[in-house]
Amino acid sequence: MKELNKALVALQNTIIYMGRPLFIIDSNNYEIVCDTPLSRDKLGIYVGMTLQEALGEEVTLSYLKNHVIRNEKNSEFLTFKTVEVLENYYLVMPNLVKEADYLETLASEVFFDEIEAKVILNSTGTIIGCNKKFEEIFGFTNQEIKSKILSNVLDLSLTDKEYINTHKEMFLNGHDICILATRKTKYGNRIKMNIDFVPILNKEEIIGIQVTYKPMNNIADIDLKSYKKIIDNHTDGVIIANDKKQIIYVNKTLCNIFQYHETEFEKMQFFDRALRSFSEQYMADKLEEILYKNDFWQGETWERKRDGSILPAWKQVFVIKDDRNQIIRYVATYKDLSGVTTANMSKMINKDPLTSLNTKQYFINRMESVLQEDPNNQKILFLDIDNFKELNDQNGHLLGDKLLVEISKRMVNHFKKSLKARYAGDEFVIHFSNLISMDKTIEMIDEFKKAMEKPMIIDGKPYIITISTGLAISPNDGVNILELLDRADKKMYFNKNTNRMVIR
């Protein structure tokens, strides 16, 4: 502590003679620990104040570097550069910006050297300027596109424009918009990107827009790195291939199952004959065709190891698609069934591997039997997570998976005696038997919705999730399970689109 105080005193003595309104902050609590005469006289910034007290708004380091801030004392506009001078202590260097030039300053100084591609627009969508990374990705120079309309330069689709218009009110209230889309470069090729639109505010008025572009390849790489931490030591073998069917990842279990080294898989394609089933050759030949039609296949197969021996396995193969319905990943999982009893195998294949809820097919099979025995007053609830796609797009699929697991736990705790299943993606289904009255069913669903209002803490951050539901009742809404599911699904989407809070 004494050494730190000595260092801070030395810094104070250094900056006090620099003739600029400099100050030093502690990034742990944003308290100002060193100041200068000019920071006190010109900006009203003193030792002991917090940044929020000094600048009149709640400010973090990243916000400080990326925004023009209006000083409450003299109404001047300032940009800030920061340099870490000691661990967790930053020297802050304010720069005065003329009100008419602050968007220009953002484009030419604040964002110009950032590693992500950025463009600054005025409130009408006209380009004020772009940074070096934007020039590198899109091929346009700053001078070529300056003063042009961004949507004309990058050839926005009608879908993109409709999406932005739909969320315009949210944006005007100061919230960010994030979309997944393609953008056209100067040379005519299109790039899949994650695009963030962030309003630039002066007080509460939007005076410009910061648009950030992140190519999908980079996002996919980040997601893959995150998933590797989870599946590297998973008990099932896992293969992941890119959109060209080139294998890009295998986990340790898969290498042990097939007795190949992981580097040998790098030379293989996803549908390589070396990975195909031994006794299911017809299915192996048809697998690619099945995936294009259904996106998913699972079944018991016999797999050939490198030494020629075979083993029984439960195999699941599926594809991951982007927002334009194009395949971006091929995934296969292998569960070694050697020594597994028939009863245990049945349990494994009837459970969703992520949430441990029943699978869609198991739910359908069970409900077919229930409806045959007693077709009256059987109730099926269809449940969907609101805005789940946006959550995934903004935070990554790893967070989405964690949310699905947490929601499933809440369902298990709340609907203890009801048959439950993960239907698909972020959709779930629940059966309420005719022993449960309609009033009691609605009461249970209402209570679950209230329970969902409590924040879910994922990786230390709170997330509030809302759900939409639809309830179908036999025989009025259908006489078999597929009719009931279809009716419940349609009711759910009606409730979601009309913002109704009722479940009937």
Side-chain angles (χ1 to χ4, degrees), residues 243-437:
D243 58 337
K244 297 179 177 59
K245 308 182 187 107
Q246 181 69 40
I247 293 174
I248 56 175
Y249 170 75
V250 294
N251 70 349
K252 296 174 184 176
T253 304
L254 190 99
C255 294
N256 292 334
I257 289 174
F258 284 99
Q259 299 175 340
Y260 285 97
H261 189 272
E262 60 181 307
T263 55
E264 294 178 276
F265 285 100
E266 295 173 2
K267 303 171 185 177
M268 295 183 186
Q269 293 282 314
F270 189 75
F271 296 103
D272 197 296
R273 286 190 173 274
L275 300 176
R276 292 187 177 185
S277 303
F278 173 67
S279 60
E280 302 267 349
Q281 194 59 49
Y282 174 77
M283 177 59 71
D285 291 335
K286 288 287 185 180
L287 188 55
E288 190 168 358
E289 182 182 333
I290 292 169
L291 285 179
Y292 280 123
K293 288 181 179 178
N294 301 322
D295 297 343
F296 178 83
W297 179 85
Q298 67 175 356
E300 188 177 358
T301 65
W302 292 92
E303 302 296 333
R304 187 191 295 273
K305 297 183 182 181
R306 183 174 187 172
D307 63 4
S309 62
I310 59 173
L311 79 157
W314 183 261
K315 183 174 180 178
Q316 291 184 323
V317 189
F318 57 93
V319 296
I320 299 172
K321 295 183 176 180
D322 63 14
D323 60 323
R324 294 178 182 270
N325 208 36
Q326 300 297 308
I327 295 174
I328 58 173
R329 291 287 184 267
Y330 294 84
V331 183
T333 65
Y334 298 81
K335 186 181 292 292
D336 186 352
L337 299 182
S338 301
V340 177
T341 65
T342 303
N344 286 338
M345 184 169 66
S346 178
K347 287 180 182 178
M348 286 190 293
I349 64 179
N350 288 329
K351 295 293 183 183
D352 175 64
L354 176 66
T355 64
S356 296
L357 294 177
N358 295 310
T359 62
K360 170 184 173 180
Q361 193 57 53
Y362 179 79
F363 184 88
I364 290 172
N365 293 342
R366 278 285 305 274
M367 285 310 304
E368 284 176 346
S369 300
V370 170
L371 289 165
Q372 283 178 1
E373 292 177 10
D374 193 343
N376 295 317
N377 198 28
Q378 304 292 348
K379 297 169 282 293
I380 301 295
L381 181 74
F382 207 102
L383 186 155
D384 176 86
I385 303 170
D386 296 330
N387 305 313
F388 188 73
K389 182 179 183 301
E390 285 81 356
L391 269 170
N392 262 344
D393 292 345
Q394 292 174 13
N395 301 286
H397 293 276
L398 185 60
L399 173 77
D401 284 353
K402 291 178 180 179
L403 286 171
L404 290 173
V405 170
E406 182 60 33
I407 290 165
S408 301
K409 288 179 183 176
R410 293 191 181 189
M411 287 177 60
V412 169
N413 290 332
H414 193 80
F415 302 111
K416 289 184 172 68
K417 296 182 179 180
S418 298
L419 178 66
K420 302 165 285 292
R422 183 184 180 194
Y423 192 75
D426 62 326
E427 297 173 334
F428 300 86
V429 285
I430 303 169
H431 167 236
F432 300 94
S433 76
N434 53 13
L435 299 177
I436 303 174
S437 70

Side-chain angles (χ1 to χ4, degrees), residues 104-281:
E104 186 81 41
T105 303
L106 278 176
S108 62
E109 295 181 21
V110 178
F111 295 132
F112 194 70
D113 291 314
E114 287 205 4
I115 60 173
E116 292 177 338
K118 294 181 185 286
V119 62
I120 303 297
L121 315 176
N122 65 17
S123 57
T124 65
T126 301
I127 297 171
I128 302 298
C130 65
N131 68 355
K132 287 190 291 189
K133 191 64 177 179
F134 183 95
E135 292 179 332
E136 177 187 321
I137 290 176
F138 290 99
F140 296 103
T141 66
N142 193 43
Q143 290 303 315
E144 280 181 287
I145 62 173
K146 196 170 183 177
S147 301
K148 293 183 179 179
I149 302 296
L150 178 66
S151 59
N152 296 336
V153 172
L154 298 185
D155 191 23
L156 267 67
S157 69
L158 285 174
T159 304
D160 293 341
K161 291 177 182 177
E162 286 171 4
Y163 182 92
I164 294 168
N165 286 332
T166 302
H167 293 74
K168 190 173 183 180
E169 185 176 345
M170 183 175 76
F171 185 77
L172 292 174
N173 288 329
H175 298 285
D176 301 358
I177 296 177
C178 178
I179 66 172
L180 282 172
T182 62
R183 287 293 180 264
K184 190 176 181 179
T185 69
K186 180 179 179 179
Y187 308 107
N189 57 311
R190 302 189 75 90
I191 305 175
K192 297 173 188 175
M193 307 194 124
N194 190 339
I195 307 170
D196 293 323
F197 297 84
V198 179
I200 300 170
L201 303 173
N202 174 15
K203 295 289 188 178
E204 296 183 359
E205 178 189 356
I206 294 179
I207 49 104
I209 305 165
Q210 168 198 316
V211 189
T212 304
Y213 298 89
K214 304 170 188 174
M216 280 291 289
N217 287 342
N218 295 342
I219 297 166
D221 290 343
I222 293 168
D223 281 349
L224 185 60
K225 288 175 184 175
S226 301
Y227 276 109
K228 278 182 179 180
K229 295 177 182 178
I230 297 174
I231 58 181
D232 258 345
N233 297 296
H234 199 280
T235 54
D236 292 350
V238 180
I239 297 177
I240 301 175
N242 61 20
D243 58 337
K244 297 179 177 59
K245 308 182 187 107
Q246 181 69 40
I247 293 174
I248 56 175
Y249 170 75
V250 294
N251 70 349
K252 296 174 184 176
T253 304
L254 190 99
C255 294
N256 292 334
I257 289 174
F258 284 99
Q259 299 175 340
Y260 285 97
H261 189 272
E262 60 181 307
T263 55
E264 294 178 276
F265 285 100
E266 295 173 2
K267 303 171 185 177
M268 295 183 186
Q269 293 282 314
F270 189 75
F271 296 103
D272 197 296
R273 286 190 173 274
L275 300 176
R276 292 187 177 185
S277 303
F278 173 67
S279 60
E280 302 267 349
Q281 194 59 49

Side-chain angles (χ1 to χ4, degrees), residues 380-382 470-472 484-492:
I380 301 295
L381 181 74
F382 207 102
L471 189 66
L484 289 169
L485 285 169
D486 181 62
R487 185 67 178 146
D489 185 27
K490 287 176 179 175
K491 284 186 178 183
M492 182 272 293

Side-chain angles (χ1 to χ4, degrees), residues 425-453:
D426 62 326
E427 297 173 334
F428 300 86
V429 285
I430 303 169
H431 167 236
F432 300 94
S433 76
N434 53 13
L435 299 177
I436 303 174
S437 70
M438 179 57 122
D439 288 342
K440 181 62 177 176
T441 299
I442 293 175
E443 180 186 332
M444 291 172 68
I445 296 168
D446 283 338
E447 287 174 353
F448 182 67
K449 282 190 149 187
K450 289 177 183 175
M452 287 295 294
E453 292 174 1

Side-chain angles (χ1 to χ4, degrees), residues 453-472:
E453 292 174 1
K454 296 179 181 178
M456 296 182 183
I457 308 301
I458 307 293
D459 297 331
K461 295 181 181 179
Y463 295 88
I464 297 177
I465 303 300
T466 59
I467 58 175
S468 295
T469 55
L471 189 66

